Amino acid sequence: MGLGSYWGEVLDVLEKIIPVYDKVNSLISLGRDSEFRQRGITNRVHPGDSVLDAGSGFGNMSKTASEICNGDLNITLYDPLRTMLKNTSRLFSVTPVLTCGVFEHIPFRDEKFDAVLTGYSLRDAINLRIAISEIYRVLKKGGRFVIVDLGKPDNAVLRAGVSFYLRMILPVLAIIGGGRLGLKFATLYGTYKLWPQNKKLESLLLERFSRVEFEKGMLGGAIMVAAYK
C-alpha cells in the first residue's frame, strides 16, 4: 500500500509546482488547510518538544506547531526534495535543521522525537506500512504521530463525492490559482486513488500504535489524526 512506482512521477510534479504550491493548496482546500493543521496539532505538540516534520515541504506543519507553542520547539524538517527545503526561509526567521530523505528510511536513531508531523504528505509514501513503522521507530515512548491529509470516506456515496471533487472541480481551481502549473495538480487524484479508506488507515496505525484519535472534516474528505506510541 502506497505510491510504489508512481512515486517518481509525483515527486517530479511536486518539484515543478513549488512556485504555486501554497497558493493552490489553500485554494483547493477551500481555504481550510491552515484550520486543519491547527486542529490536528493543538494539544498534541507541547512546548519543549523535539519535532520531526516529515514530508515537510516548506515546513507549514512545524510553523503552525511553533506558533501554537510560542516558538519553544526543536524542529527538524525532512523532505525528499532539496528544492523544497531550500524554500523554508519563507516561513522561518531561523532555519530549522534540514534533512533530505524518504519516509521509508528515516536517518535518525530510535526514540528521538516527541512528535512526528505529516501535513498532506503521508499520502505520498512509497510504502505506507513501512513509512508508519519508521515513524513509530523514531518516536519516543508516549510520542505522538500527527497526520493532516485528504481523507477517503468509508461511505461509498461520500467517497464518490470526494472523488468527483478531486477529478472535476480541483483541476479548475488549481488552474485559477496556479495558471499552467496548476494543471500538474491533476496528479493529486492519482495519489488519492492509492490512499486507503479512513477505516483502513486507522487499522494500519493500530498495528503499531496503542491509541488513535481520528477526526474528520469536509464529510470525511479531510482527516486530522493523532496516533500515540
Side-chain angles (χ1 to χ4, degrees):
M1 194 172 299
L3 295 187
S5 60
Y6 187 49
W7 180 79
E9 181 178 339
V10 171
L11 201 68
D12 182 61
V13 167
L14 287 172
E15 189 159 25
K16 286 182 170 65
I17 63 176
I18 284 173
V20 298
Y21 184 80
D22 277 346
K23 181 180 179 181
V24 174
N25 273 344
S26 179
L27 191 61
I28 64 181
S29 68
L30 306 181
R32 301 187 67 187
D33 55 323
S34 294
E35 172 199 339
F36 294 145
R37 282 192 287 267
Q38 289 172 358
R39 285 169 61 181
I41 291 168
T42 299
N43 297 323
R44 283 135 180 183
V45 177
H46 311 298
D49 276 354
S50 176
V51 173
L52 177 66
D53 190 346
S56 63
F58 307 136
N60 287 300
M61 283 288 281
S62 48
K63 177 64 173 177
T64 300
S66 182
E67 290 169 350
I68 290 170
C69 296
N70 297 313
D72 186 16
L73 293 176
N74 298 304
I75 296 170
T76 299
L77 302 185
Y78 181 64
D79 196 90
L81 286 172
R82 295 184 187 277
T83 43
M84 280 283 193
L85 294 172
K86 288 178 181 177
N87 280 270
T88 57
S89 59
R90 69 174 68 180
L91 295 182
F92 299 91
S93 55
V94 178
T95 303
V97 176
L98 305 178
T99 308
C100 191
V102 298
F103 287 117
E104 293 78 10
H105 302 283
I106 299 177
F108 298 105
R109 61 175 170 78
D110 295 359
E111 300 187 357
K112 178 174 175 61
F113 298 100
D114 297 291
V116 175
L117 314 178
T118 60
Y120 304 99
S121 62
L122 186 64
R123 191 180 65 257
D124 297 336
I126 302 168
N127 184 306
L128 186 56
R129 185 172 267 109
I130 293 175
I132 291 170
S133 178
E134 275 289 271
I135 289 167
Y136 179 89
R137 178 184 65 78
V138 300
L139 275 171
K140 297 177 183 177
K141 186 175 180 180
R144 288 83 59 199
F145 175 24
V146 177
I147 304 164
V148 177
D149 216 313
L150 293 180
K152 197 169 193 177
D154 302 296
N155 178 279
V157 174
L158 294 179
R159 192 164 62 250
V162 173
S163 294
F164 176 81
Y165 173 79
L166 293 174
R167 281 190 299 120
M168 306 302 294
I169 309 300
L170 181 148
V172 176
L173 295 176
I175 291 169
I176 292 171
R180 290 174 62 88
L181 284 177
L183 289 168
K184 296 187 178 297
F185 277 79
T187 59
L188 189 65
Y189 182 63
T191 67
Y192 178 78
K193 287 195 297 183
L194 295 167
W195 186 229
Q197 292 179 26
N198 292 338
K199 275 293 183 186
K200 178 60 178 177
L201 177 61
E202 185 175 10
S203 69
L204 281 173
L205 291 167
L206 285 169
E207 289 178 6
R208 287 284 182 174
F209 292 88
S210 61
R211 178 165 62 95
V212 174
E213 296 172 349
F214 211 104
E215 185 180 355
K216 303 167 188 174
M218 299 181 79
L219 301 177
I223 55 172
M224 294 129 278
V225 183
Y228 294 81
K229 184 169 179 178

